[in-house]
Amino acid sequence: MIGRLLKRLVVVLLAALLLVVVFVVVQFNRRPSLAPYQSLTLPTSTDTSAVRVRFAGVTTLVFDDGETAWMTDGFFSRPPVLRTLFGRIGPDPTIVDESLRRLGVRKLAAVIPVHAHYDHAMDAPLVAQRTGALLVGGESMRQIGRGAGLAEAQMRIVKPGETLQLGKFTLRLIASRHSPTPYSSGHGQEPITEPLTPPAHVTRWREGEVWVISVTHTSGRSFLVQGSAGIVPGSLAGVRAETVFLGTGTLGRKDEAYRSAYWAETVKLVGAKRVIPIHWDDFMLPLSEPLQATPWLIDDFDTVMADLQQRGRQDGVEVRMPPLFEPFVP
């Protein structure tokens, strides 16, 4: 009798586990369509005299004024979900080289990951090696560079508030926070304290220092790169940016109060006239395919866009989408 009950219990538990697995798999493949936002995509530009930007998914942006080019993140490898969760990951040189070719990038003055998670920093040392760029960041970024064999002379370690001159660009790196998630509280930082040599498990790329980058150019253009939807109240006081590249990852899972505070601290405070959402795409899918929004299981891009557009209408801020790989004037 007890044996039969145990067998039934095992069968029920296995069935329940199977249902959970099926649910997760199905939900991980359900996502908002990007079709409603295609009309918001900025046109490509051939004006090499203007500051132009190229977008390559997540928070990878190339700023280029025709004389100097520099990049945020430089994440291209985008390993698939099962390998990311259960294996060891590292940069894919073939994918990195092909992505740089598609961007038209041969030489960079700097590559600056906005924090040290793998979807921002994993490929950065290889990008620096390929392009001669300085790898810029904090002590955690130094350990990622060391683990990849990057020379110390090719790394620039900065402190919060420090400025960096790259040709006619002036960059100021301001301490920020990660968007609060089950994996990152948004209040503390997890440093990387020893060289990180890939391939490694995804958890080795801990958060490290988190940056928001204020960018000004001698042409008078000004930008803000807010890579993660975190808030440090008042940290951007005095900063001005006509265009904000706004990290929206997990913003669709935040409540109204958080989204309102994020807009106020990151868009209104700097006097922005245009917002370009970034970090909304599923970075476990390859760049050889069209970008897709993050699955509903993790985020809700429809909610994000409805929220941004409503706030934009109220405050006179234009919300536009970036084309993939193509140069545009932000």
Side-chain angles (χ1 to χ4, degrees), residues 52-316:
R52 298 188 300 169
V53 174
R54 292 173 174 85
F55 171 65
V58 198
T59 315
T60 292
L61 302 164
V62 179
F63 287 77
D64 188 351
D65 66 357
E67 297 179 11
T68 305
W70 60 276
M71 178 184 290
T72 57
D73 287 7
F75 176 63
F76 305 112
S77 295
R78 300 166 70 110
V81 59
L82 292 180
R83 189 193 312 160
T84 299
L85 296 179
F86 303 111
R88 297 197 304 163
I89 59 174
D92 185 317
T94 301
I95 293 176
V96 170
D97 290 343
E98 172 61 16
S99 299
L100 291 174
R101 186 197 65 77
R102 288 180 68 186
L103 285 169
V105 168
R106 294 183 179 179
K107 183 179 180 181
L108 292 171
V111 56
I112 311 174
V114 295
H115 59 269
H117 283 157
Y118 89 101
D119 56 315
H120 300 272
M122 186 178 76
D123 291 345
L126 180 57
V127 171
Q129 289 171 339
R130 292 292 201 258
T131 63
L134 279 176
L135 179 64
V136 179
E139 290 296 331
S140 293
M141 202 63 241
R142 189 204 301 270
Q143 298 299 345
I144 294 175
R146 284 175 173 170
L150 195 64
E152 294 287 333
Q154 205 172 338
M155 292 186 279
R156 168 78 179 270
I157 307 307
V158 295
K159 302 295 184 183
E162 191 170 340
T163 60
L164 185 67
Q165 195 70 40
L166 302 174
K168 295 177 181 178
F169 292 98
T170 301
L171 281 59
R172 181 181 170 207
L173 275 70
I174 302 167
S176 188
R177 289 176 181 161
H178 194 278
S179 175
T181 70
Y183 313 102
S184 298
S185 69
H187 294 284
Q189 294 179 349
E190 299 177 329
I192 299 172
T193 57
E194 59 186 26
L196 198 172
T197 302
H201 191 267
V202 63
T203 55
R204 293 284 308 282
W205 281 271
R206 296 191 292 273
E207 182 178 309
E209 300 83 6
V210 181
W211 307 106
V212 55
I213 306 173
S214 171
V215 183
T216 58
H217 189 266
T218 56
S219 64
R221 301 301 308 277
S222 57
F223 315 96
L224 191 77
V225 180
Q226 175 76 39
S228 185
I231 303 171
V232 179
S235 65
L236 299 178
V239 174
R240 290 293 175 264
E242 57 188 351
T243 298
V244 175
F245 292 90
L246 191 69
T248 64
T250 73
L251 192 61
R253 296 304 180 196
K254 303 294 192 291
D255 60 22
E256 162 65 22
Y258 189 94
R259 293 197 299 270
S260 179
Y262 184 52
W263 178 271
E265 291 286 344
T266 311
V267 178
K268 291 186 68 175
L269 190 60
V270 303
K273 296 301 180 185
R274 175 178 284 177
V275 162
I276 299 176
I278 55 175
H279 207 338
W280 46 262
D281 55 302
D282 185 345
F283 49 81
M284 294 183 183
L285 298 177
L287 286 170
S288 57
E289 301 175 1
L291 294 185
Q292 297 191 52
T294 300
W296 269 310
L297 188 66
I298 300 170
D299 204 357
D300 186 343
F301 189 59
D302 284 335
T303 292
V304 168
M305 289 300 291
D307 185 79
L308 295 182
Q309 290 177 297
Q310 178 184 1
R311 297 182 193 280
R313 287 190 292 269
Q314 292 173 346
D315 296 329

